Amino acid sequence: MRFTPHDYQLRAKEWVISHPRCLLFLDMGLGKSVVTLSAVAELLTHGEAERVLVVAPKKVAESTWSAEAAKWDHLGWLRVATVMGTPARREAALDEEADVWVVGRDSLPWLEETMRRQGRPPFDMIVLDELTSFKNPRSLRFKALRRMTPGAHRVVGLTGTPTPNGLKDLWGQVYCIDSGARLGRFVTHYREKYFHCIQRNNIIIRMTPKAGAEEEILELIGDIAITMRAEDYLHLPDFLEEDVRVMLPEKSLKAYRKFERERIDETLRGAGGKASAVSAASAAALTGKLSQWANGAIYADDGAVLPLHEAKLEMMEELLEGAPEENVLVFYQYEHDRDRILSRFARLAPRVYSGDEDLRDWNAGRIRMLLAHPASTAYGLNMQAGGRWILWFSTGWNLELYQQANARLYRQGQTRPVMVHRLISAGTVDERMAEALAGKGFSQSELIRRLAEVL
């Protein structure tokens, strides 16, 4: 296929070429992969890069980058090796005659250790797809990357959601690019300089930016960062988001509130009638249990799945009846949610996303209902050809996964308005999830807007 780049894509490609170490804050749907590969191809052609490493989320690493290279005529000559699978298969991939090697982000520590132990030459260009994966400086992947970047002349960070939880996420990402040149070599110094930190038992429980911190941080990274928002460049169909209020049975809601207060229930019974205890030893555990309760089933302390109600399943039934011609992409949070949905809607031959075959069949319109966990499909997958309807059985708390998952259908190539339904059980933790996502979304959108103004 012939690639005819938009002006903004040409600008982004030139940014990568002219800035050896840079950040591309490109909104979802703007074509980060093809832009970056186009820059890589030009750099390889002119001898400014020889060995290129792409680090990506697992599902993206498995297929997206190799498929993107094969898709476009001007990239067809690129030799892409996928460093996935068993250690033996990964080592074999490293031995391939290639231009670009793609590795899953969780395999990066293995890759760094293997290259060091075997004395392999370093990669002279490293591309970090979904840079927010490296925001935690304590993670193994961050530490492995820190040991690898000194040998690379070029490092490129890609993401459409640089600050899903605020400015505190930026330090690790920027460090991956410039080794601390702009925001400092130590995250502790960054926090002390730019944030008011509230600690308890030497653990930071709240961080709020100091006055003027945002402006100073954006100015410091302005020489290496380029930001583009989809709304400024794309003319996509409407994006319609609607919360569908679900009323729990009165008895179940009453028991929910009792459990929320007491954190234990020893009266719940499984399918066989046997009672199993359910308890929550911490606030985090309680939140998880309440989320499950709102969905209709809960894991007992002994691992049994205890059904509680079918309110959300019944609402799904009604929504499906109202849209018999529409294929639907359903996002779930818990395995028992998935299993109950599969059982309830068996007549529709629902499938759970597991890889390329499901992706092809979905885009060909052969799947009426496709179930997916947001973490398995959030990044890089083009699913817009298969439908326009997303249904969230439960949203979870992660803004980045939520936005990225929605962007599987709401992206370039989508020709119809995209409808997103979120099932919200009234009077439950579901409502707090929605509020949290809205609050974080505003913060992140504001930062991206400000960054665009500064740059």
Side-chain angles (χ1 to χ4, degrees):
M1 183 184 299
R2 182 178 179 182
F3 177 56
T4 305
H6 298 287
D7 288 343
Y8 71 83
Q9 291 175 321
L10 287 174
R11 181 185 167 207
K13 185 191 80 169
E14 291 304 319
W15 187 268
V16 174
I17 292 172
S18 60
H19 294 75
R21 295 193 170 222
C22 64
L23 296 158
L24 262 65
F25 295 155
L26 269 60
D27 215 348
M28 294 170 286
L30 291 180
K32 292 188 290 289
S33 300
V34 67
V35 163
T36 305
L37 281 175
S38 298
V40 165
E42 193 162 325
L43 291 167
L44 288 168
T45 299
H46 291 89
E48 295 187 38
E50 294 183 4
R51 292 169 49 82
V52 181
L53 175 68
V54 175
V55 186
K58 182 175 182 290
K59 292 295 183 183
V60 176
E62 285 176 347
S63 61
T64 299
W65 283 85
S66 56
E68 196 75 13
K71 177 180 178 179
W72 303 107
D73 294 344
H74 73 297
L75 301 176
W77 60 273
L78 285 177
R79 299 168 297 175
V80 180
T82 303
V83 188
M84 303 293 291
T86 65
R89 289 181 178 176
R90 282 180 251 155
E91 285 202 35
L94 289 178
D95 291 331
E96 290 184 28
E97 292 290 332
D99 304 298
V100 178
W101 287 262
V102 185
V103 67
R105 59 192 179 191
D106 291 329
S107 295
L108 193 61
W110 169 88
L111 176 62
E112 188 275 330
E113 192 276 333
T114 298
M115 293 181 62
R116 179 163 39 85
R117 175 169 44 84
Q118 297 180 353
R120 292 177 180 268
F123 294 99
D124 55 10
M125 181 173 183
I126 299 176
V127 176
L128 305 173
D129 191 4
E130 298 308 334
L131 181 62
T132 51
S133 302
F134 294 87
K135 65 187 179 185
N136 181 4
R138 295 183 178 181
S139 67
L140 294 177
R141 66 179 69 140
F142 179 93
K143 293 175 181 178
L145 181 66
R146 184 174 59 188
R147 292 190 290 268
M148 295 179 70
T149 51
H153 303 302
R154 293 177 172 270
V155 183
V156 181
L158 311 176
T159 184
T161 53
T163 57
N165 294 300
L167 291 170
K168 63 183 180 182
D169 286 343
L170 275 180
W171 182 87
Q173 298 175 72
V174 176
Y175 185 95
C176 290
I177 305 302
D178 71 357
S179 300
R182 288 164 181 79
L183 300 184
R185 294 180 56 212
F186 304 101
V187 66
T188 51
H189 294 175
Y190 174 72
R191 291 169 180 166
E192 291 170 0
K193 184 173 182 180
Y194 296 111
F195 297 88
H196 297 292
C197 299
I198 299 176
Q199 299 188 43
R200 184 175 298 163
N201 297 326
N202 293 322
I203 298 175
I204 296 176
I205 61 174
R206 185 178 303 167
M207 292 174 56
T208 55
K210 294 179 180 178
E214 181 177 315
E215 290 76 7
E216 186 173 345
I217 291 170
L218 297 183
E219 184 176 352
L220 285 170
I221 67 174
D223 64 319
I224 60 170
I226 186 172
T227 184
M228 296 179 177
R229 298 175 299 174
E231 62 197 73
D232 295 330
Y233 299 99
L234 299 183
H235 302 288
L236 291 172
D238 289 339
F239 179 81
L240 308 172
E241 195 174 40
E242 179 181 344
D243 287 344
V244 179
R245 189 175 175 85
V246 178
M247 304 305 296
L248 267 57
E250 183 177 351
K251 182 178 179 181
S252 186
L253 184 58
K254 183 178 179 180
Y256 171 98
R257 289 171 176 163
K258 183 175 184 289
F259 180 78
E260 188 175 23
R261 292 192 306 271
E262 300 178 0
R263 299 191 179 190
I264 188 169
D265 194 321
E266 298 178 326
T267 67
L268 301 176
R269 297 182 180 274
K274 178 184 176 182
S276 296
V278 178
S279 60
S282 66
L286 177 63
T287 299
K289 295 294 186 183
L290 293 176
S291 174
Q292 294 174 49
W293 198 307
N295 292 352
I298 197 167
Y299 289 116
D301 294 349
D302 61 6
V305 175
L306 308 180
L308 300 171
H309 62 82
E310 296 193 349
K312 284 194 175 183
L313 293 172
E314 291 167 358
M315 181 58 75
M316 279 186 65
E317 190 87 58
E318 294 183 6
L319 292 172
L320 286 162
E321 288 176 3
E325 304 298 323
E326 297 287 349
N327 297 336
V328 60
L329 177 59
V330 180
F331 289 111
Y332 65 90
Q333 297 294 328
Y334 302 100
E335 290 185 2
H336 57 60
D337 294 341
R338 176 200 65 197
D339 295 342
R340 289 184 302 121
I341 294 170
L342 288 172
S343 176
R344 177 75 174 233
F345 300 102
R347 68 185 187 279
L348 301 179
R351 282 159 65 173
V352 179
Y353 176 81
S354 62
D356 288 347
E357 182 179 356
D358 296 318
L359 181 61
R360 288 193 297 270
D361 286 348
W362 166 263
N363 279 327
R366 292 192 286 266
I367 302 178
R368 173 75 200 284
M369 179 186 289
L370 181 63
L371 277 65
H373 191 280
S376 70
T377 55
Y379 302 107
L381 298 180
N382 294 309
M383 307 179 76
Q384 67 272 29
R388 67 184 186 108
W389 184 17
I390 293 173
L391 191 149
W392 286 87
F393 197 73
S394 176
T395 63
W397 300 87
N398 191 311
L399 173 68
E400 181 179 6
L401 288 184
Y402 177 76
Q403 291 181 331
Q404 292 277 8
N406 286 336
R408 295 317 99 213
L409 301 190
Y410 191 64
R411 60 195 299 111
Q412 286 190 81
Q414 179 60 259
T415 59
R416 299 182 296 164
V418 171
M419 169 59 76
V420 175
H421 283 120
R422 309 192 301 185
L423 300 184
I424 306 294
S425 291
T428 74
V429 69
D430 280 358
E431 296 177 336
R432 296 201 292 274
M433 287 182 190
E435 292 171 359
L437 291 178
K440 289 181 180 179
F442 174 80
S443 174
Q444 176 170 287
S445 299
E446 184 67 14
L447 178 86
I448 292 177
R449 182 187 67 78
R450 294 290 303 277
L451 187 57
E453 292 176 355
V454 172
L455 301 182

